Amino acid sequence: MSGQLSVLLLDDEPIVGKRLKPSLVKLGCEVEVFENPREALQRIKEKEFDIVVTDIHMDEIDGFQIMEQTHQKSNRTKVIVITGFAMMEVARKAMAKGAFDFIAKPFTPGDLRDMIAQAAKSLGMELQENQ
Amino acid sequence: LTAEYDRDDPNLTKRMQFMSVITISSGPYCRREEIAEKTARTLGYECIGQEVLEIASDRYGTARPKLAKAMEDASSIFSSAPNTRARLLAYYQAAFLSELTRDNIVYQGRSGHLFINGVSHVLKVRVLASLEDRIRLKMDLENLTDKKARSALLREAKARQKWSQAAFKVDESDPSLFDLVINISQIDPDRAVELIVDTVRDVKFQPMTYSVKCMQDAELAGRVRAALIESYPDIKVQARDGNIYVRVTGVTRKDREKKGLLIKEQIMTMEGVNYVEARVDMNILSMKAARG
């Protein structure tokens, strides 16, 4: 299946969105970046994204709640969890709650590409990388 | 999870090339080997155990009996110099971790679970059995009286506790060290195999990018530590994505500078190493000793 991958990226640290967005755009993704989890949740209710990339530890609403709401909207959406506080227990919990993948920050553009490519593959889609 | 993928496909993303790993540990006469082999057969995995000693022995040029003694015998831990003990355990750990990164592995041994921590796709299983069942099995297999079998098992349990306390500062049979504990005096071995297979198929134990990296980091740190421990017995190594952080101690400023350079030289060429940061801390105790 072809078509542009729609990605919602949520991290309350502005630098993360700033750094990751260009990499995702280069992978051919249509990206919406959020720093506020409430605003991200609102958008998730409105639109079915192919991929949601979310931080875990945020004020008020955490990544697990984002994942739950995302899957309530659509079980098709792949959720990739990124965190600066990675631990085995958190990783297992994220997987049990339906995360597609989990990675510790910081990570490389190559790691991001691998995860997005894999999510795309499992959606039956392909990356359309911009040169 | 991986059935739909060709895991040799070079285009496949890193995570999908990996599968879960199982360590099965137990005290003696708990039918651990039988359960591990059946589990491996059911999953199509390879079952390993004593082979790790062989690999460590070949790779680091240490006699296998010496390594085996260090792994099994508490008295060897106490009688050998602390540096020798740490070195032998480092060799074993490096070989063990390199085997685990080969993937599709069921490792069975008494203490494998102590050599790997924090990797979510490693399922740690403990198999136990009542003392009476173990005594019966030991009597049958070794043609012993009840009294002799009982005292041998109790003696061995104490020795193992001493060994793991000396080597890792934990009791190796502590249930909190495991993901799954099965009492085969209550659960048949065949059912135990089913439980292990069901558990490892749980999504919590599936590899993810983070856990694959943790495993690769542990393997690299183990390999670097094993390469350096003879020269730097107090070495501490951390690895992340090919970046190595080493800490050792030195006495004089000159000694510290020299050690830092030597360490970098020695490990920069190792496979998987991209960057090395060597921190040589002042060893205050050695300075005092040197001054008399």
Side-chain angles (χ1 to χ4, degrees):
Chain A
M1 197 167 107
S2 61
Q4 203 174 18
L5 278 169
S6 60
V7 178
L8 182 144
L9 171 60
L10 167 62
D11 198 304
D12 58 0
E13 289 178 77
I15 187 73
V16 176
K18 207 173 164 182
R19 287 266 167 86
L20 294 188
K21 188 175 179 182
S23 301
L24 290 165
V25 169
K26 206 174 164 190
L27 295 175
C29 302
E30 180 188 61
V31 190
E32 293 186 33
V33 178
F34 292 86
E35 290 160 25
N36 183 327
R38 284 201 182 281
E39 289 171 16
L41 265 188
Q42 189 53 44
R43 187 64 180 132
I44 285 165
K45 281 177 189 162
E46 291 164 7
K47 182 180 172 180
E48 181 188 316
F49 287 88
D50 294 316
I51 299 169
V52 168
V53 180
T54 180
D55 190 10
I56 285 275
H57 297 284
M58 294 175 288
D59 290 339
E60 292 183 67
I61 297 168
D62 66 20
F64 294 117
Q65 289 167 280
I66 297 290
M67 191 153 35
E68 203 178 308
Q69 290 294 319
T70 302
H71 287 144
Q72 265 181 28
K73 173 75 177 173
S74 169
N75 264 327
R76 181 184 163 276
T77 304
K78 305 297 173 199
V79 179
I80 296 171
V81 175
I82 57 176
T83 178
F85 303 93
M87 283 173 68
M88 185 178 80
E89 291 73 17
V90 183
R92 282 182 175 168
K93 185 179 171 187
M95 295 303 273
K97 286 190 173 288
F100 178 76
D101 207 345
F102 182 101
I103 192 166
K105 291 189 279 188
F107 48 84
T108 66
D111 292 328
L112 181 68
R113 190 204 171 280
D114 278 352
M115 291 188 293
I116 297 290
Q118 193 172 302
K121 195 169 182 175
S122 74
L123 287 165
M125 297 174 79
E126 282 174 17
L127 291 184
Q128 298 175 333
E129 296 186 52
N130 299 316
Q131 296 307 308
Chain B
L1 181 74
T2 52
E4 61 195 285
Y5 296 99
D6 169 11
R7 295 199 305 132
D8 294 326
D9 178 355
N11 296 318
L12 209 61
T13 53
K14 277 184 216 157
R15 175 187 142 197
M16 297 308 289
Q17 295 169 29
F18 290 85
M19 288 181 80
S20 308
V21 167
I22 303 169
T23 68
I24 303 181
S25 82
S26 74
Y29 299 99
C30 291
R31 302 172 72 178
R32 178 188 73 227
E33 294 88 345
E34 174 193 338
I35 289 169
E37 277 162 19
K38 279 188 183 170
T39 302
R41 263 202 308 279
T42 307
L43 290 163
Y45 284 17
E46 187 183 342
C47 186
I48 59 165
Q50 293 290 310
E51 296 87 339
V52 176
L53 282 174
E54 211 67 64
I55 294 162
S57 166
D58 288 349
R59 195 171 292 169
Y60 298 104
T62 302
R64 187 192 148 133
K66 206 172 159 187
L67 271 169
K69 200 163 187 240
M71 287 296 299
E72 294 290 333
D73 185 356
S75 63
S76 74
I77 289 271
F78 293 110
S79 59
S80 61
N83 289 353
T84 308
R85 173 208 314 165
R87 185 166 53 83
L88 294 174
L89 293 178
Y91 293 165
Y92 187 88
Q93 182 168 35
F96 170 76
L97 291 171
S98 75
E99 283 302 285
L100 292 202
T101 50
R102 273 200 309 119
D103 208 16
N104 294 21
I105 296 288
V106 175
Y107 170 86
Q108 64 85 12
R110 291 190 185 171
S111 51
H113 60 291
L114 300 175
F115 288 94
I116 177 79
N117 285 305
V119 180
S120 62
H121 68 264
V122 176
L123 171 66
K124 294 182 177 184
V125 180
R126 181 79 176 179
V127 176
L128 53 90
S130 70
L131 180 61
E132 296 310 316
D133 283 354
R134 293 166 60 214
I135 288 169
R136 266 195 297 277
L137 193 54
K138 191 171 174 74
M139 285 167 64
D140 287 350
L141 291 174
E142 295 182 21
N143 204 17
L144 294 175
T145 63
D146 177 290
K147 195 178 170 188
K148 280 191 174 168
R150 185 181 300 271
S151 70
L153 281 172
L154 292 173
R155 203 169 46 242
E156 188 162 351
K158 267 189 189 169
R160 290 302 303 172
Q161 255 184 350
K162 274 187 186 172
W163 179 87
S164 62
Q165 284 291 351
F168 293 94
K169 297 184 175 63
V170 293
D171 173 356
E172 68 177 14
S173 64
D174 177 353
S176 70
L177 299 172
F178 302 94
D179 300 304
L180 181 64
V181 179
I182 305 173
N183 180 355
I184 61 153
S185 294
Q186 302 300 326
I187 308 283
D188 291 341
D190 284 344
R191 179 69 187 127
V193 172
E194 287 173 6
L195 287 171
I196 296 167
V197 169
D198 282 352
T199 308
V200 82
R201 285 178 174 155
D202 188 293
V203 71
K204 278 187 172 187
F205 299 98
Q206 298 307 312
M208 63 190 87
T209 300
Y210 170 65
S211 68
V212 170
K213 280 175 173 285
C214 287
M215 178 68 95
Q216 290 168 337
D217 290 343
E219 189 275 333
L220 183 55
R223 198 154 34 90
V224 168
R225 186 162 172 265
L228 295 172
I229 197 164
E230 189 161 14
S231 308
Y232 311 96
D234 60 352
I235 191 167
K236 290 183 176 65
V237 182
Q238 282 190 319
R240 175 133 196 221
D241 289 338
N243 300 325
I244 304 293
Y245 306 93
V246 176
R247 281 184 78 168
V248 295
T249 57
V251 183
T252 61
R253 191 177 159 189
K254 205 173 170 185
D255 174 47
R256 284 158 56 207
E257 282 172 3
K258 192 178 156 197
K259 277 185 174 176
L261 285 172
L262 282 173
I263 286 169
K264 282 186 184 177
E265 260 177 36
Q266 199 173 338
I267 57 175
M268 245 344 266
T269 51
M270 284 177 73
E271 193 188 335
V273 175
N274 300 324
Y275 165 82
V276 181
E277 196 172 298
R279 184 172 151 183
V280 188
D281 295 324
M282 186 77 84
N283 185 341
I284 297 166
L285 292 176
S286 296
M287 282 177 73
K288 279 183 181 168
R291 281 202 299 264

